[in-house]
Amino acid sequence: MFKLVSKFKPSGDQPEAIKQLTRNLKNGVKDQVLLGVTGSGKTMTMANVIEKIQKPALIISPNKTLAAQLYQEFKEFFPNNAVHYFVSYYDYYQPEAYIPQSDTYIEKDSKINEEIDRLRHAAVQDVLSRKDTIVVASVSCIYNIGSPENYKNVSLDIKQGQEIKRKDFILHLTTLQYKRNDIDFRPGAFRVRGEIIEIYLVTGEKILKIEFSADKIAEISELEPRLSLSCKLQVASYKLFPATFWVAPQDKINIAIENIKLELQERLKKLKKQNKLLEAERLEQRTNYDMEMLQEVGFCHGIENYSRHLEFRKSEEPPFSLVDYLNYFNPEGFLMFIDESHISIPQIRAMAAQDKARKETLIDFGFRLPSAVDNRPLKFAEFEKRQNQTIYVSATPADFEQKKSGKNIIEQLIRPTGLLEPSIEIKKTENQIKDLMEEIKKETDKKQRILVVTLTKRLAEEISDYLIEKGIKTQYLHSEVKTMERPEILKNLREGKYDALVGINLLREGLDLPEVSLVAILDADKEGFLRNKTTLIQTMGRAARHIQGRVILYADKTTFSMKSAIDEINRRKKIQKDYNKKHKITPRAIIKDIRDWGFSKKEDVAEEFGLVHDKKLLEKEMKRAARNLDFERAAELRDLIKKLEIKKPA
């Protein structure tokens, strides 16, 4: 089961925190708070608790960047276990919407990150098949992803010697939503070559090669996608999981279609009675088309809007999320950690209400059936019912977590390194940019890093551009920066490719950046969400991992939030100083390896097309890259075509 691997042993407050958390879990305590200051090693504590309890774990983070950091850390702690990354797979997402005031219909538009999609499938498949699974997820894990029962039941078990006709096997693959494609062979596709069927698993990890002989499976082999297809490992049996979460057996789809028809008829009657003839016609055309697609291929655009019917849920019944998969496949229970809970919990609370308001407008104007409202994230009360034993992790837990946990609040204020809270200085806002430049210069001369915190994305970008003009290696970081690029930016900061990062709330919680010696907070006296007590404590904590860490608050007055935050920092600092004095500890700098981000920002052309010998296909892909202004990719494809021409015999 779970085996923690680390060259470090728990120290500071960690041993006592691990002991208390573990004891409470074994005694059946459902809710606890781990109040750990920045740099106190909360992740190490969480990992030790998982090892001692020996149950699967779900770790929920408020955003993708922090989830990526936690994923990397847990991968290192548990190299021999299944550690997965589960976040929203959209690089860009524009939800379907209708604006009545201007009669504007906005069709759903999105760009799916295929790599993240593969990681999501890998996570769910291991949740189903392994007990030593840790999933690090963002709060998007409470969104509907289809029925775990359907997912399990549709999955296909195959074994060597199994009697099954090749055509029936191909039919099974299409039921699993694998697409036949003999040319563009990628995850989620299969190809047929005589009596051999090759399946590129949706996780992207393996190619499954099935050889048939006389209506029987003669051989099953696993192939590494990036190695020669001759390098294969024979297996006796295999479990094939679906290529999409939205799957159902054909008999269920047929019943679902009938139920959709009934709902459509009832809705059309109501719309016509209200003299909404345009809305009725629109709804009838759209729904009939979707039903035809479901009947023919078992899938349609926006299939999730029919999830209530496909899953035979009643109206208002909660959808199925990743949390349900963990509950369904782990009846003995699992551990839940909610990281930066003061941020994550409010996000989870708000999701369902926001989604419902948008859906109701679409329903009123004939774009969707009323059942579409049941394709949604979990309501907070529903989420609470699905929680197993939960540990809320934060340096600044909110009233909700504290009240729910009662006396089970475990403080972790002492850092293993003996580091103290940063020093804090308040400066006037007049000429704050000029002063900031001087302070940045002091730190860069010492080869240290700087975080600059602004109130808006625009200001973050403008300050970043200004600093670059002044010769400071700078990058901005906010929500519009692509998911897969954010960890790379943080890595570049640590390596010194950037001296400073400028951002808003992404620079607030959880980022592990021991090279940062200065955090500069602009407009610190602008009371509000981004400048309240909790946020200020969290932001100032980014400097707590450096032995010379300091914070500058640019403000013309000391607000109540500023005073409360500074008072709390000073309280913690006194406890830390007293501990160091008692145990004769000299604070030492944090030395932490700079990790490689495990996922590429873009696919390597040589890996992607190395086995392709079709010149026309490569030329087509090259032209597509050029049209998209991706000239680097186009040039790499051109070079690959040239190599192919050289190898071609005269």
Side-chain angles (χ1 to χ4, degrees):
M1 290 292 287
F2 292 104
K3 178 66 178 173
L4 174 62
V5 177
S6 176
K7 59 184 177 182
F8 301 108
K9 290 185 177 180
S11 57
D13 275 352
Q14 289 174 332
E16 185 59 29
I18 294 164
K19 182 181 173 182
Q20 290 187 51
L21 291 166
T22 303
R23 183 177 63 233
N24 288 343
L25 287 168
K26 288 182 176 178
N27 290 336
V29 173
K30 188 167 181 196
D31 299 292
Q32 302 181 77
V33 167
L34 174 60
L35 195 164
V37 298
T38 302
S40 63
K42 296 187 289 292
T43 308
M44 177 70 155
T45 300
M46 293 156 66
N48 273 274
V49 169
I50 291 171
E51 184 187 44
K52 291 183 181 299
I53 298 299
Q54 290 292 315
K55 283 185 177 180
L58 172 63
I59 300 155
I60 299 177
S61 182
N63 61 55
K64 296 176 179 180
T65 306
L66 296 185
Q69 180 175 290
L70 284 169
Y71 167 74
Q72 289 175 306
E73 290 178 344
F74 277 98
K75 283 279 284 186
E76 290 180 5
F77 283 141
F78 297 100
N80 302 314
N81 301 114
V83 181
H84 292 285
Y85 184 60
F86 190 99
V87 300
S88 170
Y89 55 18
Y90 294 114
D91 278 339
Y92 165 77
Y93 182 66
Q94 170 60 62
E96 183 182 31
Y98 179 69
I99 305 170
Q101 295 85 345
S102 58
D103 188 27
T104 304
Y105 171 69
I106 303 169
E107 192 166 352
K108 177 180 172 181
D109 185 20
S110 62
K111 183 181 179 183
I112 291 176
N113 187 303
E114 293 181 0
E115 193 161 10
I116 294 179
D117 188 35
R118 294 196 288 271
L119 294 170
R120 285 163 61 93
H121 278 281
V124 168
Q125 291 177 16
D126 273 355
V127 165
L128 189 151
S129 57
R130 296 178 64 165
K131 296 298 180 186
D132 64 333
T133 301
I134 299 169
V135 182
V136 182
S138 64
V139 290
S140 63
C141 68
I142 69 166
Y143 272 86
N144 185 14
I145 60 168
S147 164
E149 186 179 3
N150 282 349
Y151 192 89
K152 179 186 177 184
N153 292 342
V154 171
S155 300
L156 179 63
D157 290 299
I158 57 173
K159 60 182 179 181
Q160 192 173 328
Q162 180 179 339
E163 292 189 4
I164 183 171
K165 293 181 179 178
R166 192 189 67 138
K167 66 176 184 180
D168 292 338
F169 185 78
I170 291 172
L171 187 62
H172 276 296
L173 287 178
T174 57
T175 302
L176 292 171
Q177 296 302 318
Y178 276 89
K179 309 295 183 187
R180 182 168 180 174
N181 198 321
D182 294 335
I183 300 173
D184 189 15
F185 194 45
R186 59 176 60 232
F190 72 94
R191 60 189 179 194
V192 182
R193 298 176 175 178
E195 295 298 302
I196 296 173
I197 298 175
E198 290 175 344
I199 308 159
Y200 206 146
L201 299 181
V202 70
T203 60
E205 295 171 345
K206 292 182 178 71
I207 293 170
L208 205 62
K209 185 177 181 181
I210 316 293
E211 297 183 41
F212 284 82
S213 177
D215 295 336
K216 187 184 290 184
I217 296 177
E219 189 176 285
I220 305 171
S221 307
E222 290 180 346
L223 312 174
E224 292 292 331
R226 290 176 178 144
L227 298 177
S228 169
L229 294 182
S230 61
C231 301
K232 64 182 185 179
L233 174 68
Q234 286 193 27
V235 293
S237 61
Y238 207 90
K239 192 177 190 71
L240 267 172
F241 294 102
T244 175
F245 294 114
W246 305 103
V247 290
Q250 192 58 48
D251 57 339
K252 281 193 174 184
I253 290 175
N254 293 335
I255 298 169
I257 289 171
E258 293 303 314
N259 291 333
I260 294 168
K261 284 179 182 176
L262 289 172
E263 185 187 9
L264 175 62
Q265 290 167 9
E266 290 175 12
R267 183 61 179 163
L268 289 176
K269 284 180 185 176
K270 189 172 181 178
L271 288 171
K272 289 173 181 176
K273 193 174 179 180
Q274 296 171 343
N275 203 33
K276 292 184 174 180
L277 302 181
L278 175 63
E279 289 84 349
E281 184 181 358
R282 179 190 291 148
L283 183 65
E284 187 173 21
Q285 287 180 352
R286 290 169 64 92
T287 310
N288 282 335
Y289 176 78
D290 288 345
M291 284 191 292
E292 285 177 22
M293 293 297 294
L294 280 171
Q295 187 69 61
E296 292 298 319
V297 298
F299 195 82
C300 71
H301 186 66
I303 189 173
E304 62 274 13
N305 291 295
Y306 303 105
S307 59
R308 189 225 288 176
H309 293 295
L310 291 166
E311 296 155 11
F312 299 100
R313 290 188 278 124
K314 295 177 182 175
S315 179
E316 295 291 318
E317 257 188 0
F320 298 103
S321 68
L322 178 65
V323 185
D324 291 282
Y325 278 72
L326 280 150
N327 274 316
Y328 186 87
F329 297 114
N330 296 285
E332 71 287 352
F334 67 96
L335 297 181
M336 181 181 287
F337 297 86
I338 301 181
D339 192 43
E340 306 295 349
S341 58
H342 62 285
I343 295 292
S344 300
I345 292 296
Q347 287 180 345
I348 294 169
R349 282 186 185 277
M351 285 180 174
Q354 292 170 351
D355 187 79
K356 186 178 180 181
R358 178 178 59 82
K359 291 274 177 56
E360 284 179 339
T361 304
L362 288 166
I363 292 163
D364 289 344
F365 287 88
F367 290 94
R368 288 292 171 193
L369 289 170
S371 58
V373 81
D374 291 314
N375 167 46
R376 56 176 176 82
L378 293 171
K379 297 175 183 175
F380 190 68
E382 295 165 346
F383 173 75
E384 284 189 288
K385 285 181 183 177
R386 285 156 175 75
Q387 283 182 261
N388 277 236
Q389 289 181 297
T390 302
I391 296 173
Y392 302 92
V393 184
S394 174
T396 53
D399 289 344
F400 170 82
E401 302 97 281
Q402 295 187 56
K403 287 177 182 175
K404 198 160 186 180
S405 301
K407 63 181 182 181
N408 299 306
I409 299 175
I410 291 88
E411 284 197 332
Q412 191 170 293
L413 303 182
I414 307 302
R415 299 182 175 90
T417 57
L419 284 175
L420 306 175
E421 298 299 312
S423 63
I424 301 169
E425 183 181 1
I426 300 175
K427 289 190 172 187
K428 296 290 184 183
T429 61
E430 188 178 2
N431 297 319
Q432 61 181 354
I433 300 300
K434 183 182 177 183
D435 186 82
L436 175 65
M437 285 283 301
E438 292 171 359
E439 293 291 349
I440 290 175
K441 184 72 168 57
K442 289 179 190 175
E443 301 305 314
T444 54
D445 287 346
K446 296 184 286 186
K447 304 210 181 293
Q448 309 294 0
R449 315 285 186 267
I450 305 95
L451 298 183
V452 181
V453 186
T454 69
L455 283 171
T456 66
K457 294 176 186 177
R458 182 178 175 182
L459 187 58
E461 293 179 13
E462 287 177 351
I463 290 175
S464 177
D465 290 341
Y466 179 76
L467 293 176
I468 291 169
E469 285 177 13
K470 298 298 180 181
I472 297 167
K473 295 177 291 183
T474 311
Q475 177 60 275
Y476 62 82
L477 184 65
H478 53 57
S479 59
E480 291 180 12
V481 176
K482 291 180 179 178
T483 303
M484 305 299 272
E485 292 177 2
R486 296 176 197 175
E488 196 70 23
I489 290 172
L490 297 175
K491 179 173 174 282
N492 289 340
L493 177 75
R494 293 195 63 195
E495 290 177 338
K497 294 177 183 176
Y498 302 127
D499 294 320
L501 279 188
V502 188
I504 315 162
N505 59 344
L506 285 177
L507 300 182
R508 198 171 73 226
E509 285 90 9
L511 296 185
D512 194 355
L513 305 167
E515 294 80 10
V516 170
S517 61
L518 172 64
V519 173
I521 303 175
L522 303 182
D523 302 306
D525 54 358
K526 299 290 190 293
E527 279 276 20
F529 169 67
L530 292 174
R531 296 294 182 265
N532 61 24
K533 174 187 173 182
T534 297
T535 301
L536 287 171
I537 291 173
Q538 289 283 350
T539 308
M540 290 190 286
R542 295 314 104 211
R545 288 182 169 88
H546 198 284
I547 198 164
Q548 297 170 337
R550 60 193 185 101
V551 176
I552 298 175
L553 301 172
Y554 288 97
D556 294 321
K557 61 179 185 266
T558 302
T559 63
F560 176 77
S561 294
M562 288 170 62
K563 185 179 183 306
S564 301
I566 292 168
D567 288 348
E568 176 59 19
I569 293 290
N570 289 335
R571 180 189 79 85
R572 296 175 182 183
K573 198 169 187 173
K574 185 179 183 306
I575 294 171
Q576 293 159 355
K577 278 183 175 179
D578 292 345
Y579 183 92
N580 287 354
K581 186 177 179 181
K582 181 180 177 182
H583 295 87
K584 298 179 179 177
I585 294 171
T586 302
R588 66 184 190 276
I590 291 175
I591 299 172
K592 194 157 188 174
D593 294 337
I594 300 175
R595 302 178 181 88
D596 283 324
W597 174 228
F599 314 126
S600 59
K601 288 185 290 183
K602 67 175 188 176
E603 293 187 59
D604 183 81
V605 167
E607 291 181 345
E608 189 179 358
F609 294 98
L611 299 173
V612 176
H613 302 290
D614 188 330
K615 184 181 172 184
K616 288 184 179 178
L617 175 64
L618 293 172
E619 286 175 343
K620 184 180 177 182
E621 192 64 28
M622 179 182 71
K623 290 174 182 176
R624 182 190 297 169
R627 284 198 303 273
N628 295 334
L629 306 181
D630 191 350
F631 300 116
E632 185 180 344
R633 179 178 173 87
E636 289 175 351
L637 284 159
R638 178 202 62 201
D639 294 342
L640 206 60
I641 293 167
K642 285 181 178 178
K643 285 181 183 178
L644 192 65
E645 289 172 342
I646 293 169
K647 288 180 182 178
K648 192 175 180 182

